[in-house]
Amino acid sequence: MGGIFGVVSKKDCALDLFFGTDYHSHLGTRRAGMAMYGDRGFDRAIHNIQNSPFRTKFERDISEFNGRVGIGCISDYEPQPLLIRSHLGSFAITTVSKINNIDELVKEIYNAGHTQFLEMSGSNINPTELVASLINQKDSISEGIEYALDKIDGSLTLLVMTEKGIYAGRDLYGRTPLMIGRKDDEAYCLAFESFSYINLGYKDEKELGPGEIVYVTADGYETLRPAQETMKICTFLWIYYGYPTSTYEGVNVEDMRYRCGKALAERDSVKPDIVAGVPDSGTAHAIGYANESGIPFARPFIKYTPTWPRSFMPTDQSQRNLIARMKLIPVDKLIRNKSLLLIDDSIVRGTQLRETTEFLYRSGAGEVHIRPACPPLLHGCKFLNFSRSNSEYDLITRRVIREREGEDVSDEVLKDYADPDSTNYKEMIEDIRKQLNFTSLAFNRLDDMVSSVGIPKEKLCTYCWDKQGDCRDCSSCKGCS
Ligand code: SF4
């Protein structure tokens, strides 16, 4: 994924930029960067944050940064922000994006006379540089952002900083959020995460709508392109990766997770001794379940956090699994001979949850009932840069369906597997349960998850569960009809 933050102020705002960007650290583990316009003109720093967190890496930079306008990012992929000089002048740019038609766009840009792109390691073009090139195809930054938002297949939310202010654009279908915060008459900020500016003294000013473009200075903001009607905000923001204190489209993440847990409890009949959540996002879903069922919430295992910062994330999967295991410490009294009900946000590969369950059995648990807070994932995400799955067969559901149906499975058959009342669905769940060695397994239903968000389904992307939300392929989705 990734997160972005920007600030424009009547006073020096380097510290606001530093802390505001740092509060997006849960959204990425690879790169981070900040750019400001100050005494020395444009200043920029980018660091690798794989083995130490944002604040440690940027401590030294922040004492050298100064200025009244700045942007920052946490990025799971490309190094950014980038500093660009073009016929539009000098600007800094940062994005949260996934660009599926990158080759096609690069070809178009070559045809328009642009001769080169820098290559990153691995021979890939930096997507943020491509977005800058798209912007440079037009006669103003505003027109360029509009062009880029409209051209990209995937998603794009971005900030473009000039020496005087920040242009901001939210993804055409609003898959990722963007908020404006205001600090009295002194400053405005722009943030992916709405909680990121609260402790800095900003209050919610406005949430950008899908495809909306604004220009923000220390004196105020103007809308350069109004929001479009169609929205497909990512439902996974609430289920998994959004921070609990954030609010998107008026719906707080923690609160939504309580409602998901409540919905799971309302349909359940097991009577475990305790309800627990897989930290971090599973915890709030579990609190909702416990409150509704009256079964006590407890923490049968606890993460050892002091020396395991979240950002320590090796790329090798077996090392990641080892670290996941080392972080969890069992509480014998809460596990031995007990029946546990465990809630996780979702099941992707199933590897981690199987290991956690085995760890609980080894620690003496009698029963381990698993309740994922969202329905079975049947389709990979093609709109966001999720590092969680690379191919559809990373998903345990698709592997089980392949075992049952063979390689070529039609959309019609997959639709049947997504229907919680179908026989195929029930048998798939039983196959998963056996493979992962759970005592019982029941997923949240799509209709319950959507009601837990509380905004109309046609405004949500639910593609990874039911293939609805791909507005560029309207005929295959028909999610709004
Ligand atoms: S496919 Fe899933 S993860 Fe991707 S944007 Fe849609 S809801 Fe979010």
Side-chain angles (χ1 to χ4, degrees), residues 279-347:
D280 296 311
S281 45
T283 304
H285 296 291
I287 290 172
Y289 187 110
N291 287 345
E292 177 62 22
S293 63
I295 300 165
F297 171 81
R299 295 192 296 162
F301 50 83
I302 294 168
K303 251 189 185 178
Y304 189 74
T305 48
T307 54
W308 291 109
R310 185 190 163 108
S311 53
F312 182 66
M313 200 56 85
T315 40
D316 179 75
Q317 186 60 42
S318 66
Q319 277 186 33
R320 288 164 82 114
N321 291 347
L322 173 71
I323 284 164
R325 257 201 323 276
M326 296 307 285
K327 277 183 188 173
L328 295 184
I329 320 281
V331 181
D332 186 77
K333 195 172 174 348
L334 297 174
I335 298 177
R336 194 155 299 279
N337 302 322
K338 293 275 197 289
S339 170
L340 312 175
L341 186 140
L342 201 57
I343 305 197
D344 204 351
D345 51 72
S346 53
I347 299 185

Side-chain angles (χ1 to χ4, degrees), residues 54 167 188 225:
F54 176 88
Y167 293 84
Y188 286 87
R225 177 166 92 165

Side-chain angles (χ1 to χ4, degrees), residues 175 234-236 380-384 386 461-465:
R175 289 190 205 274
C234 170
T235 308
F236 242 107
C381 174
K382 55 184 197 173
F383 310 110
L384 305 175
F386 258 130
C461 176
T462 53
Y463 185 90
C464 40
W465 300 284

Side-chain angles (χ1 to χ4, degrees), residues 147-372:
Y147 180 65
L149 292 182
D150 293 349
K151 282 297 259 188
I152 278 163
D153 172 18
S155 73
L156 168 68
T157 292
L158 77 167
L159 301 177
V160 175
M161 174 185 96
T162 66
E163 61 185 84
K164 294 205 173 76
I166 299 174
Y167 293 84
R170 182 174 171 189
D171 176 59
L172 189 62
Y173 298 108
R175 289 190 205 274
T176 44
L178 195 60
M179 293 285 295
I180 301 179
R182 178 182 179 170
K183 192 196 278 186
D184 303 322
D185 289 328
E186 182 189 315
Y188 286 87
C189 69
L190 289 136
F192 182 114
E193 290 288 30
S194 66
F195 80 92
S196 63
Y197 46 77
I198 296 171
N199 287 350
L200 300 172
Y202 295 78
K203 291 202 168 67
D204 295 343
E205 175 74 12
K206 172 187 165 66
E207 182 160 18
L208 266 65
E212 186 169 353
I213 301 169
V214 294
Y215 177 59
V216 187
T217 67
D219 294 313
Y221 59 90
E222 59 175 314
T223 298
L224 304 175
R225 177 166 92 165
Q228 70 152 14
E229 197 48 40
T230 310
M231 181 166 71
K232 296 288 169 191
I233 184 170
C234 170
T235 308
F236 242 107
L237 272 166
W238 287 281
I239 290 288
Y240 162 60
Y241 67 93
Y243 207 70
T245 44
S246 268
T247 294
Y248 318 111
E249 300 300 327
V251 181
N252 170 258
V253 173
E254 181 82 356
D255 207 26
M256 180 276 180
R257 291 179 184 168
Y258 292 166
R259 287 194 291 275
C260 265
K262 179 175 186 284
L264 276 165
E266 279 169 351
R267 290 186 190 272
D268 219 344
S269 56
V270 293
K271 296 280 170 241
D273 297 311
I274 59 170
V275 175
V278 177
D280 296 311
S281 45
T283 304
H285 296 291
I287 290 172
Y289 187 110
N291 287 345
E292 177 62 22
S293 63
I295 300 165
F297 171 81
R299 295 192 296 162
F301 50 83
I302 294 168
K303 251 189 185 178
Y304 189 74
T305 48
T307 54
W308 291 109
R310 185 190 163 108
S311 53
F312 182 66
M313 200 56 85
T315 40
D316 179 75
Q317 186 60 42
S318 66
Q319 277 186 33
R320 288 164 82 114
N321 291 347
L322 173 71
I323 284 164
R325 257 201 323 276
M326 296 307 285
K327 277 183 188 173
L328 295 184
I329 320 281
V331 181
D332 186 77
K333 195 172 174 348
L334 297 174
I335 298 177
R336 194 155 299 279
N337 302 322
K338 293 275 197 289
S339 170
L340 312 175
L341 186 140
L342 201 57
I343 305 197
D344 204 351
D345 51 72
S346 53
I347 299 185
V348 183
R349 294 177 178 82
T351 329
Q352 267 191 19
L353 207 48
R354 188 183 57 221
E355 288 188 359
T356 305
T357 304
E358 279 164 8
F359 155 84
L360 288 169
Y361 287 137
R362 274 199 313 277
S363 307
E367 294 179 348
V368 181
H369 303 272
I370 299 293
R371 299 292 181 267

Side-chain angles (χ1 to χ4, degrees), residues 347 350 376 396-398 400 427-438 441 443:
I347 299 185
I396 188 161
T397 44
R398 292 301 291 271
V400 165
E427 290 178 358
M428 170 183 75
I429 303 304
E430 179 55 11
D431 286 355
I432 297 172
R433 184 198 72 73
K434 281 192 202 143
Q435 281 191 19
L436 301 183
N437 197 20
F438 305 147
L441 172 64
F443 286 79

Side-chain angles (χ1 to χ4, degrees), residues 1-2 29-31 74-80 97 102 120-122 124-127 385:
M1 266 303 296
T29 56
R30 293 184 176 214
R31 301 273 184 279
I74 302 290
S75 170
D76 239 355
Y77 185 53
E78 74 266 41
Q80 42 165 325
S97 74
I102 202 158
M120 301 191 300
S121 324
N124 294 319
I125 285 172
N126 183 319
N385 240 327

